[in-house]
Amino acid sequence: MKNLFSNIKGDAFGGITAGIVALPLALAFGVSSGLGPSAGLYGAIFISFFAALFGGTNTQISGPTAPMTAVSMVVIAAIIAANGGDVTKALPAILTVFLLAGIMQVGLGAIGLGKYIKYIPYPVVSGFMTAIGVIILITQILPAVGYYPKDDMVYVETFKGQAEEVILEDILRAEEQEGILVLENFEETVKRGKEITAEDILKESKTLAKNNASGVLGTFKVLPRALENLMAELQNPSAYTYVRQTNDETPKKKSLWLEVMLVVGTIVIIYGFKKITKAIPSTLVALLVMSGISVGFDLNYAKIEEIPSGLPVPNMEIFTGFSFANITPYIFTALTLALLGAIDSLLTSVVADNMTKTKHNPNKELIGQGIGNSIAAVFGGIPGAGATIRTVVNINSGGKTPLSGMIAGVLLLIILLSLGPVASQIPAAVLAGILITVGIGVMDYKGLKAIPSLPKDIKLGPLQLSSEVLIMLIVLGLSTFWDLIYAVGIGLVIASLMFMKKIGDITAKGSDIKTLREEAWDDEMDFPENLKEEVFIKHIKGPLFFGSTSEIQALSKQLPETARTVIIRMGRMQYMDQSGLYTLEDILVDLKSADCKVLFVNIPAQPRYMMERIDIIPDLIPEADCYDTFEACLQWVKENVEDVVSSLENRS
């Protein structure tokens, strides 16, 4: 912190520029999450400031990102659905999950797990990032064509019957909680049922219509209807009756094709302006130009949700209404958010290191990100992580210290306080256009381009596939059409199993486990010919772990009948896990039962430590039978093996 003010001018310019870049993205991610633009803005403000203040990457700019928003969107939708579609009722539980994710990030950094994040397999990350892009693109189709299911009254009408059932279930649930539910007498239930109005049913129907059309599968369900409405307006604009509610709840007839043109115009400006200059963020230019046209020409467009004015206020219901039972189902989800944010942030930290020739502190960075996400959750913000584009902009604009990230957060707060009502006039279609470009940009094209060139090492029926490609496609498919969180977990399990299989095969091949007579090493060339039948030399050339134990288990059964002494050379076995340890113990017991003398040569430190813990050394293999060099072992063999063989023969 002593160097925090060493580059005030550069940090001010970098922070302001990065804050400007962050503004449209924060609004767009907030809308995409389902909590509204203010949630995205709150997240950007608090995460940017506190992650910079407490983090371990001097130039990092943090805030809501596409991967974090995509997972948050799933969490938010699930909790809202569990609360009968009531966002206000679900909000404390949602923010509690986000708070828990932030606390977990702090914990990951505190116990030093930051350095292990880099071991996440690339195919899992690639499939996940591409899925994020696909999800964003698909879920923005409906806003891009101006279709909002809850405002399509014909579609909403189809949910009225279900809405009545949901309202009745809510009444029964409330009576049960109040202790007044009597199954033999539904007098109170009937009384409350009579209080239900058509407006209540309509409101619930709209919620169900919106939920039914959410996500990738939901989009595909209503896409034909959205396109049908679009074509109907094109064929007969005067007869078109689709109505969209505006911020002031005044029904106004609007053109769906206007929404399409706003989206297209936004995308064209974002990509086109970059070819003119990159000094000014093209997303900001698109936001200002398209919003200016919409407001200036008094176009009848769909606006974003109203952004509250004034300072953000902490949501104390997180603490007052906390129930561990309510968030228990989402602990794994919170952990996934924490890990995803860690990966996202640390990847950006590496980019910053390469640009600034510095070295970030991964554990401190996780603590900073966790603090930022925790505080953002308390104030109603969505979670975020280190943002690559914003960080690059900050560095290129002169940012060098954490002050730049703090300035970016303060700038966004000033915009919130002074321009909140103005920002509420932004067209929803413009943010949809911005999100479409984000979805296109976030996909892992490097991984997709490598698919044809990767070695095809597994066979599925008639298909020859690369195991790396298979993992990526599994994660991509499951993430897109099922569940982002479980997809990553399944991808990690499959990747780990495939890795262990490969390492086991390589170790088995390298150790010549299946070969009875192994190829002699250089220092074994002069081994006495008359002792080769009595002495069997075993090479272990690789880690002995649960993926490589199956073949070596048969060692005692593979020995020639004449072999009475087994030399196990361990110099290239740098690691042994518990499975390998107990497998080796079983082998040694079998060899001892067969009256074989076992000698160890050049035991590495870690395997020796493991064997000493369960007394393989010295109970099964005395210290005297453990040799540092093969030469010393060979000397013992030359001097003693014939006597050993003779004594064993006499005993039998």
Side-chain angles (χ1 to χ4, degrees):
M1 289 300 168
K2 62 181 180 180
N3 296 322
L4 188 63
F5 300 102
S6 61
N7 182 46
I8 294 178
K9 183 178 179 181
D11 288 337
F13 192 66
I16 290 171
T17 307
I20 291 172
V21 173
L23 175 61
L25 294 174
L27 295 172
F29 288 139
V31 171
S32 177
S33 73
L35 291 184
S38 57
L41 201 51
Y42 293 163
I45 290 168
F46 292 106
I47 299 171
S48 179
F49 186 90
F50 288 102
L53 180 61
F54 296 105
T57 310
N58 287 340
T59 54
Q60 181 132 285
I61 304 294
S62 303
T65 63
M68 292 294 282
T69 302
V71 175
S72 300
M73 183 169 58
V74 175
V75 176
I76 292 165
I79 297 179
I80 290 176
N83 284 271
D86 190 335
V87 178
T88 304
K89 183 179 177 183
L91 187 59
I94 293 169
L95 298 181
T96 301
V97 173
F98 294 163
L99 174 61
L100 186 60
I103 293 172
M104 286 180 175
Q105 280 187 320
V106 173
L108 292 174
I111 62 178
L113 290 183
K115 59 185 177 182
Y116 296 107
I117 298 297
K118 61 184 177 182
Y119 295 113
I120 302 294
Y122 180 80
V124 176
V125 176
S126 176
F128 180 80
M129 294 304 293
T130 301
I132 294 297
V134 172
I135 290 170
I136 291 175
L137 288 174
I138 293 175
T139 54
Q140 292 309 304
I141 292 175
L142 298 183
V145 298
Y147 183 79
Y148 297 86
K150 68 185 183 68
D151 298 315
D152 183 351
M153 298 313 298
V154 175
Y155 182 65
V156 169
E157 284 288 333
T158 63
F159 290 92
K160 278 198 171 182
Q162 186 179 345
E164 292 172 353
E165 293 178 7
V166 171
I167 294 173
L168 178 59
E169 288 174 2
D170 289 342
I171 291 174
L172 294 173
R173 191 179 298 112
E175 290 179 0
E176 183 181 12
Q177 292 173 352
E178 296 170 16
I180 60 174
L181 178 62
V182 181
L183 296 180
E184 293 80 11
N185 184 356
F186 289 97
E187 182 178 342
E188 179 64 25
T189 305
V190 173
K191 177 182 176 183
R192 296 189 181 190
K194 290 179 178 179
E195 295 175 358
I196 299 172
T197 64
E199 186 178 345
D200 294 330
I201 297 174
L202 178 60
K203 181 180 178 181
E204 185 62 41
S205 299
K206 287 185 175 183
T207 300
L208 291 171
K210 179 182 177 182
N211 293 341
N212 190 62
S214 64
V216 172
L217 296 179
T219 298
F220 286 136
K221 287 180 185 177
V222 298
L223 184 58
R225 179 164 183 80
L227 296 178
E228 179 185 340
N229 288 344
L230 198 65
M231 292 300 104
E233 181 185 348
L234 185 65
Q235 294 168 5
N236 189 4
S238 60
Y240 189 66
T241 58
Y242 180 79
V243 172
R244 161 73 178 164
Q245 298 290 113
T246 59
N247 283 343
D248 58 5
E249 294 301 319
T250 303
K252 293 182 180 179
K253 184 176 178 180
K254 74 174 185 64
S255 168
L256 297 181
W257 285 98
L258 171 62
E259 304 293 312
V260 174
M261 287 187 284
L262 289 174
V263 171
V264 172
T266 301
I267 296 172
V268 169
I269 292 175
I270 288 175
Y271 288 122
F273 195 78
K274 288 180 181 178
K275 296 182 179 180
I276 300 173
T277 178
K278 293 184 179 180
I280 303 175
S282 60
T283 52
L284 180 66
V285 174
L287 180 70
L288 294 176
V289 171
M290 298 309 295
S291 298
I293 291 174
S294 301
V295 175
F297 287 92
D298 195 26
L299 301 178
N300 186 20
Y301 59 90
K303 301 174 184 177
I304 64 173
E305 295 178 23
E306 187 170 355
I307 299 175
S309 57
L311 289 168
V313 178
N315 190 318
M316 300 310 296
E317 289 186 53
I318 296 176
F319 308 104
T320 57
F322 175 80
S323 171
F324 190 77
N326 291 339
I327 65 165
T328 299
Y330 304 105
I331 289 179
F332 179 69
T333 303
L335 178 60
T336 302
L337 269 173
L339 291 174
L340 175 60
I343 296 169
D344 209 0
S345 298
L346 295 181
L347 287 175
T348 302
S349 295
V350 172
V351 173
D353 287 349
N354 292 335
M355 293 182 67
T356 59
K357 309 304 179 187
T358 57
K359 180 66 176 175
H360 72 280
N361 183 328
N363 294 319
K364 188 179 178 184
E365 181 60 33
L366 291 190
I367 292 173
Q369 291 292 333
I371 292 173
N373 278 316
S374 299
I375 296 175
V378 171
F379 283 88
I382 60 174
T388 304
I389 299 299
R390 282 161 264 179
T391 298
V392 170
V393 167
N394 177 43
I395 294 170
N396 289 337
S397 301
K400 292 183 179 179
T401 78
L403 183 63
S404 56
M406 296 164 68
I407 290 174
V410 171
L411 174 68
L412 291 171
L413 178 61
I414 293 172
I415 292 174
L416 170 67
L417 296 177
S418 59
L419 299 177
V422 176
S424 297
Q425 302 301 311
I426 294 173
V430 172
L431 295 187
I434 292 173
L435 284 169
I436 288 172
T437 62
V438 170
I440 294 171
V442 80
M443 289 192 285
D444 181 34
Y445 296 102
K446 180 180 178 181
L448 293 173
K449 289 178 182 177
I451 289 178
S453 59
L454 291 173
K456 296 175 174 59
D457 52 356
I458 59 173
K459 187 174 183 180
L460 294 176
L463 297 177
Q464 284 285 125
L465 288 175
S466 163
S467 57
E468 310 285 323
V469 173
L470 180 63
I471 294 168
M472 188 200 74
L473 293 177
I474 288 173
V475 175
L476 172 59
L478 292 178
S479 297
T480 303
F481 297 105
W482 182 43
D483 190 290
L484 278 163
I485 298 164
Y486 287 110
V488 172
I490 292 171
L492 286 173
V493 171
I494 295 174
S496 299
L497 291 174
M498 287 188 173
F499 170 76
M500 290 181 289
K501 174 69 168 59
K502 288 180 182 179
I503 294 299
D505 292 344
I506 292 171
T507 302
K509 184 178 179 180
S511 297
D512 300 322
I513 291 172
K514 293 183 179 180
T515 305
L516 191 58
R517 283 298 177 187
E518 303 184 12
E519 184 178 345
W521 290 357
D522 292 343
D523 57 357
E524 299 168 1
M525 294 300 182
D526 297 329
F527 195 86
E529 287 290 335
N530 63 319
L531 298 179
K532 287 186 176 179
E533 293 300 319
E534 288 80 15
V535 179
F536 182 79
I537 301 175
K538 179 66 199 165
H539 306 137
I540 301 181
K541 297 183 287 186
L544 186 61
F545 71 112
F546 62 91
S548 64
T549 57
S550 58
E551 299 295 344
I552 200 174
Q553 286 174 337
L555 174 60
S556 60
K557 298 179 178 63
Q558 291 179 327
L559 292 179
E561 293 182 2
T562 57
R564 296 299 181 182
T565 302
V566 177
I567 299 174
I568 301 180
R569 304 195 63 174
M570 299 181 172
R572 301 182 187 179
M573 184 187 72
Q574 297 302 315
Y575 175 76
M576 173 191 290
D577 72 356
Q578 192 172 14
S579 298
L581 177 68
Y582 290 133
T583 299
L584 182 61
E585 182 184 34
D586 292 341
I587 291 170
L588 295 174
V589 170
D590 290 342
L591 291 174
K592 288 291 184 180
S593 299
D595 288 329
C596 284
K597 177 79 170 180
V598 180
L599 306 174
F600 284 169
V601 177
N602 194 13
I603 313 171
Q606 191 271 343
R608 172 180 275 274
Y609 175 82
M610 294 287 286
M611 288 188 284
E612 288 175 347
R613 292 308 92 191
I614 65 168
D615 296 326
I616 288 179
I617 300 174
D619 289 0
L620 284 176
I621 308 296
E623 284 286 355
D625 292 339
C626 300
Y627 295 90
D628 293 333
T629 65
F630 181 72
E631 290 76 12
C633 179
L634 181 59
Q635 183 63 35
W636 184 93
V637 169
K638 289 179 179 179
E639 295 175 356
N640 297 279
V641 73
E642 291 182 348
D643 294 338
V644 172
V645 172
S646 298
S647 64
L648 290 172
E649 289 176 346
N650 292 334
R651 189 187 308 171
S652 60

